Amino acid sequence: MSLVSIHQLHKHFGDNHVLKGIDLNVDEGQVIALIGRSGSGKSTLLRTINGLECIDAGEITVDGAKIQAGAKDMRPLRLKVGMVFQQFNLFPHLSVGENVMLAPKIVKKTDPAQAQELAEQMLAKVGLSEKFDAFPGELSGGQQQRVAIARALAMQPKVMLCDEITSALDPELVSEVLSVVKQLANEGMTLVMVTHEMRFAREVGDKLVFMHQGRVHEEGPPEALFNAPSTPELAAFIGAIDQA
Amino acid sequence: MAYEFEFAPVLEYTDLLLKGAFFTIALTAVGAVFGIGLGIIGAVCRAWRLQPFAALFAVYVELIRNTPFLVQLFFIFFGLPSLGIHIGEWEAAVLAMVINLGAYSTEIIRAGIASVPKGQLEAAASLAMNRYESFRYVVLRPALQTVWPALTSQVIIVMLGSAVCSQIATEELTFAANFIQSRNFRAFETYFITTAIYFAIAIMIRQLMLAIGKRYISGRLS
Amino acid sequence: MLTQFTTWDIVRNLLEGGKWTLLLSLLAFFLGGVTGLIIVLLRISPNRFLRVIAKVWIELFQGTPLLMQLFIVFFGLSLLGWDVSAWTAAAIGLTLFTSAYLAEIWRGCIEAIPSGQWEASASLAFSPLQQMRYVILPQALRIAIPPTVGFSVQVVKGTAVTSIIGFTELTKSGTMIANATFEPFMVFGLVATAYFCLCYPLSVYARHLERKYHVAC
């Protein structure tokens, strides 16, 4: 059975029907790249998987934790799912180490010594061990995003969601973040990412999901989709990117 | 004949002035701690729309902010006893200051909570924190940090306002000044020096709040 | 002789006091506004000496109790040989108090105008006074209105303190009636209600203006 399974998911924002019956399965260790124009619903879909958006119909199951319409308690889902945001969203009043340790300590009640060790491990993984006592404001965007990845990893999630995590970065800082993501993928982490980095999606992704007008329009192995899009919408989308 | 200023008759009472200053500071300290505490509770109730508390706090804030402190003080000190609630002048002064500062801090801190970016709440939620955890660990400090200058000004305004507590015979700085000028008949000099002491206390509070903000709110030791 | 006060007697006496509260508020707000305008112009003037004077003015009045300011005006003017009434002392004291706060509010508004506006108008060869008159003030004025209206509430409330130097306005009337009727709960309740009726509309209007202009300074 898939690690993440989404079944007939619907979501409205007022009169705007943004997700129109999404079905999607993600296997353990798989790397999924969600692509599509802005407004296609890809970010909203990603956010529902972490309970940041409630759903109007359908269900989401992640490693046995299930969410349906009207669900109030998102905690079981969020304990399985980590998320990295476009704007990093580090906690500015806490040091880098405290950012990473906070949730393990207060949500999982990990004892402080263990949390410290965990944070050191995670920061080492993203190559920022020496920034343990720095504050977010003192770091570059790329470094902040790597801390955000370490913070999410410290909760030992089953799946990580990445919401356009390089879009807010200066061009020269993109690759340091992508190489951390690539390393995670190589270590077998299950990843679902919304991205505009097509080359990266092609290189690291196991499956490409093209969203269009609130539906999964086309999905499959990246090479196949890029080389031979079977719908005119995907062909147009790829064409627009190539020109850019 | 020109008036000759004489400050010596005031300085004879230095110990009384210092005692009065001490009580003004003590009143302000108690008022600030409980007033800001009340403000945090009120701000949370309003920000989270916890009914009926949100509505009660909204009414409370408007009532206090649109009536003079002196009238609030008189109402508490003279009015409440006719309801069978007897309180002394110190209790009345402290209560009035807490209630007054509580209303202003509710509004100030609410603005601080509203200024915390939505992404911070989302990040906290994505880490499986519940509403209380995310408020306690993610929202509160940045919110207080944002509005700390405004809270500082409000504490100073309340401290300066406490001068009218002398009217219910609370023995703070102005009460001491009134007493002294009734003895030495040097009203101008007495109030001049008293005013200078208030000014010094205001500067002291500003520095102290700045230090507290640096040390405990922004979390940086540098 | 102990007379029996009816509720109407109490209300009538309070309204008489309230009239003076209203008059004093209007006078202090108007005179304080004029003085405040002078102070704020000094505060942003190119002359360092004038700036310091304005800064000290603002800090002194914002850093000391209104009650002390009233005492000093009251006793200070009589030392100068002027026979000041409570009304005169109250009007002068509250005017000075108001001028300092308004000057500080307005300074914030003027400084909130982006420096690009100064640069753009300078590049068009405006003189500093012309920059102020045609570019900066019209914009600053717009954002200054909501907090200025908001501060008027503080002026009305500030008038209550003048009761302590013996000016018979609303609060003083309340104290006298409370002493005569032995009904402090009702009397101070009514006094508070009267202040609320004066202040609440101003607060609501200030909030409405703030939302309308979407800015606060």
Side-chain angles (χ1 to χ4, degrees), chain C residues 75-88:
Chain C
F75 293 109
L77 288 181
S78 50
L79 289 189
L80 292 175
W82 296 3
D83 188 18
V84 279
S85 64
W87 158 254
T88 315

Side-chain angles (χ1 to χ4, degrees), chain A residues 37 210-212 216-219 224-239:
Chain A
R37 292 179 200 283
F210 172 63
M211 292 197 57
H212 185 68
V216 173
H217 203 69
E218 209 172 318
E219 62 180 303
L225 255 64
F226 270 105
N227 294 333
S230 53
T231 59
E233 288 81 8
L234 179 56
F237 179 71
I238 292 170

